[in-house]
Amino acid sequence: MSPMTTRTMLLTLTFFTLRAAAIYYPFIEYSGTTFFDGFDFYGAIDNTTWGNVTYVDAAVASTESLAYINDQGNAIIKVDNTTNVLAAGIQYRKSVRLTSKAEFPIGTLFIVDAIHMPFGCSVWPSIWLNGVLEPGQVWPAAGEIDWIEAINLMDHNQMALHSFAGCNQSQGVFQSGQSVIHNCNDTTASGCTVEETKPNSFGAGFNNNGGGAFGLQFDVAGVWMWFWNRTSIPNSISSTSSNPAATMDTSDWGTPSAAYPSAGCNITEFFPNQQLVVDITLCGLWAGLPVVYNAATGCPGSGPNGSSCFLANIAGNGSNYAEAYFELPSIRTFSLNSTLAALGENSAGSGGQQTTGVASGSPSATADDSQNTGGAPSGAVALGSGVGQAMWVAAMLVGMSAFL
């Protein structure tokens, strides 16, 4: 390979793998006794992923303790584990699906602190972003960002974007997770999928390890997602958790688990305002698919001649769902737009797009920092613009040229 070819490849790699750090302003926080105030309860059967659950309304969720604040001040969101469900006919077990009243524009940062995640055979929990459809549009016209999601006895998180054709995860992105599918309009409906490779990101291991935190950066320059176990949560997150006025500096967030830079997917085109969704369904079009459920080693009735996901799990007294609950101290959101952040939920969905970088189509729009070890140093980025990022990339390229 010629020196010029090597140089070109390295410069291209630099452009496509660097994420801009930024300062974000506190926006909307879901925590404490008011955690549920910012959400709507679905109040209908699962008619999207066709799990055998009825998502209850707020009154039932409160009365039957399916959504409440525990003695530690944390939100509990759970599946009914006390009601007997008949094995005959089409039956549903009660569960909860929350959708944020607020719409979140590009330029929003999300952080979930979780102590316990739902898991178990047939269990399909997720925390995700659902694009706000215009009249006449159908999914996935406004996109979907699957941030925290797994099924059955999986021990790792899975992340994905869903879109119409034209959005892809670029090859060779800088992330710690393992890319499985690059086409976000994948015909299997899996989206462009990345599997978490850090240990204890889901299931029993997550819960036994004290839980952890998940971050998501929704930006013109791309979408990035992180996971940290309880002992590796960045100081920028832990030190601001009790200060509602503190800004968030992402420069210590390190390598993302999943990276979707705008070089492969024009974020402004495929992902307008998003609503935050938290839900737990059972069986359905992923966890309950025969080919999937029968491969779930350790689940009752699984295997080549196994029974259905419903009969093996949902039917009965529900005691097998004792671990099917979220325990969430908080979900915090931040905005690059200080004015929008100051207005809080009253302004959600009405603000203009903000970005750490420049619009899709510019090479530096895909920037990604790597734990400040060769990444952009803290403070290098001019807030709300690509100037600082562009200057840092230029300096990086000048430095690289000495070795090429």
Side-chain angles (χ1 to χ4, degrees):
M1 183 179 295
S2 70
M4 183 58 69
T5 301
T6 303
R7 177 178 181 143
T8 301
M9 290 179 63
L10 287 173
L11 295 185
T12 301
L13 180 63
T14 299
F15 277 136
F16 278 75
T17 59
L18 305 174
R19 181 189 60 85
I23 303 296
Y24 285 81
Y25 299 89
F27 190 14
I28 299 171
E29 179 170 332
Y30 306 92
S31 64
T33 57
T34 62
F35 181 97
F36 295 105
D37 293 355
F39 291 99
D40 291 321
F41 286 72
Y42 200 66
I45 64 169
D46 177 3
N47 57 2
T48 56
T49 56
W50 300 107
N52 288 91
V53 300
T54 296
Y55 292 124
V56 299
D57 60 24
V60 173
S62 177
T63 300
E64 300 191 12
S65 296
L66 300 183
Y68 63 94
I69 306 300
N70 67 10
D71 293 341
Q72 289 72 47
N74 302 329
I76 302 296
I77 302 158
K78 61 181 292 188
V79 172
D80 162 42
N81 65 336
T82 61
T83 302
N84 188 63
V85 172
L86 299 177
I90 301 175
Q91 305 291 337
Y92 301 93
R93 185 168 291 281
K94 295 175 184 177
S95 186
V96 174
R97 172 171 169 166
L98 307 174
T99 303
S100 67
K101 296 176 181 177
E103 298 176 13
F104 296 96
I106 290 175
T108 304
L109 190 75
F110 302 82
I111 301 170
V112 166
D113 184 358
I115 292 175
H116 189 282
M117 287 285 187
F119 80 98
C121 299
S122 79
V123 179
W124 179 1
S126 54
I127 299 178
W128 51 292
L129 300 180
N130 193 24
V132 179
L133 295 170
E134 298 291 338
Q137 288 185 324
V138 295
W139 181 91
E144 175 182 322
I145 302 173
D146 295 333
W147 177 22
I148 305 170
E149 185 173 33
I151 59 169
N152 297 325
L153 299 179
M154 284 175 60
D155 61 359
H156 61 276
N157 187 32
Q158 180 169 293
M159 300 147 282
L161 302 188
H162 295 268
S163 72
F164 278 143
C167 174
N168 299 278
Q169 185 191 40
S170 302
Q171 298 285 339
V173 296
F174 192 80
Q175 62 181 27
S176 62
Q178 178 65 47
S179 293
V180 179
I181 298 171
H182 288 273
N183 180 9
C184 303
N185 187 231
D186 175 57
T187 56
T188 67
S190 296
C192 44
T193 309
V194 176
E195 293 183 347
E196 179 63 74
T197 55
K198 294 179 180 178
N200 301 319
S201 63
F202 228 96
F206 178 91
N207 298 333
N208 294 337
N209 201 42
F214 300 84
L216 188 153
Q217 187 177 26
F218 178 39
D219 193 86
V220 167
V223 174
W224 292 272
M225 308 181 207
W226 287 260
F227 163 68
W228 307 277
N229 64 39
R230 184 61 60 188
T231 60
S232 65
I233 295 174
N235 182 65
S236 62
I237 294 177
S238 56
S239 65
T240 61
S241 61
S242 59
N243 184 357
T247 57
M248 181 63 60
D249 179 355
T250 64
S251 61
D252 67 345
W253 281 28
T255 305
S257 297
Y260 299 94
S262 61
C265 180
N266 188 328
I267 303 302
T268 59
E269 176 184 355
F270 292 98
F271 295 91
N273 288 0
Q274 304 282 310
Q275 289 177 289
L276 179 66
V277 182
V278 182
D279 70 69
I280 314 171
T281 193
L282 303 174
C283 296
L285 295 177
W286 185 18
L289 284 177
V291 66
V292 174
Y293 184 77
N294 288 337
T297 303
C299 287
S302 62
N305 301 309
S307 62
S308 74
C309 178
F310 168 80
L311 290 174
N313 298 279
I314 298 172
N317 62 22
S319 60
N320 51 312
Y321 291 114
E323 295 289 341
Y325 69 92
F326 285 104
E327 181 175 358
L328 305 175
S330 67
I331 300 177
R332 294 190 288 160
T333 71
F334 298 79
S335 176
L336 279 169
N337 187 328
S338 59
T339 302
L340 185 70
L343 294 173
E345 192 162 346
N346 292 330
S347 66
S350 62
Q353 297 172 353
Q354 299 292 309
T355 176
T356 62
V358 292
S360 177
S362 170
S364 60
T366 63
D368 192 309
D369 90 306
S370 56
Q371 236 167 336
N372 271 345
T373 55
S378 178
V381 179
L383 301 183
S385 75
V387 177
Q389 180 184 6
M391 290 176 63
W392 177 81
V393 170
M396 181 75 169
L397 296 181
V398 170
M400 286 175 60
S401 66
F403 298 94
L404 302 178

